[in-house]
Amino acid sequence: MKIVIVGAGEVGFHIASRLSLENKDVMVVDTSDEALKRVSENLDVQVVKGSGSSPEVLIDAGVKKADILLAVTDSDETNLVACLTCDILSPATKKLARIRLGDYDAYHEHFRTSAPHIDTIINPEIEVVKTIYRLMRVPGAVDVGEFEGGRVKIVGMRLEEGSLLDGLRLSEFSSRLGGVRPLIAAIVRKGQLIVPHGNDILQAGDLVYFISEATKLNEVLRFFNRRMKPVNRVLIVGGGLIGTRLADLLESKNIHTKIVERNPERCRYLAERMNRAVVLCGDGSDQSLLMEENIKDMDFVVSLTDDEETNILVSLLARSVGADNTITKISRFSYMPLMASIGVEQVVSPRLSAINSILQHIRKGKVLSAMSVHGEQAEVIEAVALQTSELVDTPISKVSFPRGALLICIIRDDEVIIPSGESVIKPDDRVIIFATREAVPRIEKMLTVKLEFF
């Protein structure tokens, strides 16, 4: 697979990093010498200097032989022109564009269906708002992914001392917990990702990723000393693109919303635009303002300013004056591993949301969705089992899954199946597979072609 990536920023760099480790042929295009130097010195990919919107540059990058073009610069206009130019030069190449501005929202379908066309539009702001709302709906969750239209959830949750699972061996789940119980997909312990086996014992402080049907989630949460509860009051700090989109969503759900924004002009715009949300002009990192707004009565405080240090400070201040739940927007990937150590657990990233959206479109096989787990260490992949796949018509115990991969769910019609060794995947079943980064290339092959041995 040959992939041309236009844009060597954070999203482009990390997508290139992921794909190069999977031995894909990657070419990165950017106008910045510094960005290209970072790519070429750290990744096993090729680079071309120039604008991705230029036909000559795209030809030099090999777009005519590319399977996929990813346009992920910080400029919506550059991304659009790059894809439209690519469609003229190489119509068969699949084109994905990152588009951030809300002005284009009404035209996404037009871009996909008109000629020249763009196969997929990815809006990080829309995706991160979806992520925030998923976190709000699962109390205590550090990470939440949804599959099969929300029927199946994967939840990452910190295991508290004294909970029912603390000190329990995975092989004892069936006898100790009864019929409705979590299926453990992964454990993160002291920063290390563990693909669990029956002999593994859960420990307080572990970040546990588990699978549950949505209808049974409340029953499963009791094992983590949690329970579902409605979200009624939310304070948003930062009235930018993401804050505005989130406020719109919360208003549509009849959730009482307050927005704190320090820019007076933006405050006036928000006050005119919002229907019911209360707009406060002030500094969200001002402790006295947070206390005046009865922060302890808020179900969630969401920090969405353009400055990540401010977002971290707001979350820490909110927790110190009584807020139970905070969600913090972070853009720099280098900050992510540090967040849990300072008490900031629920973190969202527009860039990571963009990467998750992109992954499903560059995977081989009929992949429906993909979600990164614990940074870039692993993925959860939802796919359709093709007739040609190595997975079908064979008992799971006889399938040669690579080390670091785990089949965690089979969905057949309206039935959600937690697989055992005797389970058999049928063609057109939906499967959900957890795979470490190293196991992903092998899983891609398993999802597409049955290997023949002679």
Side-chain angles (χ1 to χ4, degrees):
M1 181 179 286
K2 179 176 178 61
I3 300 171
V4 175
I5 300 174
V6 176
E10 285 291 303
V11 172
F13 178 88
H14 284 275
I15 285 288
S17 172
R18 181 80 63 93
L19 297 177
S20 67
L21 291 170
E22 298 169 14
N23 297 316
K24 290 183 171 64
D25 183 1
V26 179
M27 178 73 73
V28 178
V29 178
D30 203 284
T31 57
S32 167
D33 287 321
E34 184 178 351
L36 292 178
K37 181 180 179 182
R38 179 192 180 203
V39 170
S40 59
E41 289 183 351
N42 291 280
L43 308 179
D44 184 19
V45 304
Q46 300 177 74
V47 299
V48 170
K49 183 181 179 183
S51 172
S53 61
S54 163
E56 292 301 319
V57 171
L58 288 179
I59 290 171
D60 289 345
V63 76
K64 290 185 176 181
K65 295 181 179 180
D67 298 287
I68 297 173
L69 174 84
L70 301 176
V72 292
T73 74
D74 289 332
S75 166
D76 289 352
E77 291 77 11
T78 299
N79 296 338
L80 285 170
V81 174
C83 287
L84 298 178
T85 303
C86 174
D87 196 56
I88 296 169
L89 297 172
S90 179
T93 299
K94 188 175 183 180
K95 295 160 286 291
L96 289 77
R98 181 172 74 157
I99 306 295
R100 298 177 61 236
L101 290 178
D103 295 351
Y104 291 110
D105 287 358
Y107 301 96
H108 287 189
E109 188 61 30
H110 182 81
F111 288 136
R112 283 191 286 262
T113 57
S114 299
H117 80 286
I118 301 170
D119 296 276
T120 302
I121 301 290
I122 295 162
N123 188 313
E125 277 70 23
I126 292 176
E127 297 304 321
V128 82
V129 167
K130 292 178 182 177
T131 301
I132 292 168
Y133 190 61
R134 286 197 297 266
L135 287 172
M136 288 181 175
R137 295 174 65 190
V138 184
V142 173
D143 209 354
V144 179
E146 293 185 345
F147 304 99
E148 180 59 10
R151 287 177 57 200
V152 177
K153 295 182 186 290
I154 180 166
V155 179
M157 188 163 289
R158 190 72 62 182
L159 190 63
E160 296 179 348
E161 189 171 352
S163 69
L164 292 172
L165 301 182
D166 184 12
L168 193 62
R169 192 182 302 273
L170 267 62
S171 59
E172 299 174 337
F173 272 30
S174 180
S175 59
R176 298 278 294 275
L177 302 181
V180 179
R181 58 186 184 273
L183 171 67
I184 309 301
I187 303 166
V188 179
R189 180 177 296 156
K190 297 180 180 178
Q192 297 300 310
L193 182 74
I194 300 168
V195 179
H197 300 87
N199 288 328
D200 285 311
I201 299 173
L202 296 180
Q203 300 176 10
D206 286 349
L207 177 55
V208 179
Y209 282 86
F210 66 89
I211 293 288
S212 172
E213 291 182 62
T215 55
K216 298 177 181 177
L217 182 58
N218 204 30
E219 296 177 71
V220 172
L221 287 177
R222 66 187 175 90
F223 297 117
F224 293 86
N225 291 346
R226 301 283 184 174
R227 62 181 179 83
M228 302 291 283
K229 57 182 181 180
V231 177
N232 297 314
R233 298 170 63 84
V234 174
L235 177 71
I236 300 171
V237 178
L241 292 174
I242 299 175
T244 303
R245 288 186 184 275
L246 179 60
D248 286 338
L249 175 63
L250 297 179
E251 280 195 343
S252 72
K253 305 294 182 182
N254 293 317
I255 296 172
H256 180 69
T257 306
K258 291 184 179 180
I259 307 172
V260 178
E261 168 59 46
R262 66 190 309 171
N263 185 310
E265 185 175 343
R266 185 68 179 177
C267 285
R268 283 191 291 271
Y269 166 79
L270 291 171
E272 293 173 359
R273 188 184 189 283
M274 294 294 142
N275 294 319
R276 294 184 298 276
V278 177
V279 180
L280 305 170
C281 194
D283 184 353
S285 61
D286 183 348
Q287 187 171 353
S288 61
L289 184 148
L290 297 179
M291 295 181 70
E292 286 174 9
E293 295 307 318
N294 298 318
I295 201 82
K296 63 181 181 300
D297 296 330
M298 295 291 172
D299 296 307
F300 279 88
V301 176
V302 189
S303 306
L304 300 174
T305 76
D306 291 331
D307 184 87
E308 40 226 304
E309 286 81 5
T310 298
N311 293 337
I312 294 168
L313 177 59
V314 167
S315 293
L316 293 174
L317 282 173
R319 294 297 291 268
S320 71
V321 295
D324 289 330
N325 299 292
T326 61
I327 297 176
T328 313
K329 187 191 86 169
I330 299 294
S331 293
R332 297 183 196 175
F333 289 105
S334 58
Y335 279 19
M336 300 246 178
L338 307 174
M339 293 300 99
S341 62
I342 62 173
V344 179
E345 285 271 33
Q346 293 177 297
V347 174
V348 296
S349 166
R351 289 170 177 167
L352 186 58
S353 294
I355 289 171
N356 283 338
S357 299
I358 290 167
L359 284 175
Q360 72 185 79
H361 298 288
I362 61 178
R363 291 283 171 237
K364 294 178 182 177
K366 197 172 180 180
V367 173
L368 303 174
S369 59
M371 168 187 167
S372 295
V373 173
H374 195 53
E376 296 178 293
Q377 292 193 29
E379 281 181 43
V380 182
I381 300 171
E382 178 187 16
V384 175
L386 304 176
Q387 178 69 57
T388 56
S389 169
E390 183 182 347
L391 298 173
V392 303
D393 297 329
T394 304
I396 297 302
S397 59
K398 301 293 180 64
V399 177
S400 300
F401 280 96
R403 181 184 179 87
L406 178 68
L407 175 67
I408 51 183
C409 188
I410 303 169
I411 302 166
R412 181 174 300 145
D413 299 324
D414 292 330
E415 184 181 10
V416 177
I417 303 167
I418 302 301
S420 65
E422 291 73 39
S423 299
V424 176
I425 298 171
K426 300 296 183 183
D428 296 324
D429 283 353
R430 293 191 180 198
V431 295
I432 301 175
I433 299 172
F434 177 89
T436 60
R437 181 176 59 197
E438 295 78 13
V440 166
R442 173 76 174 108
I443 292 297
E444 281 191 289
K445 292 180 182 178
M446 295 177 75
L447 288 169
T448 51
V449 181
K450 190 186 294 289
L451 300 181
E452 301 290 347
F453 297 94
F454 299 95

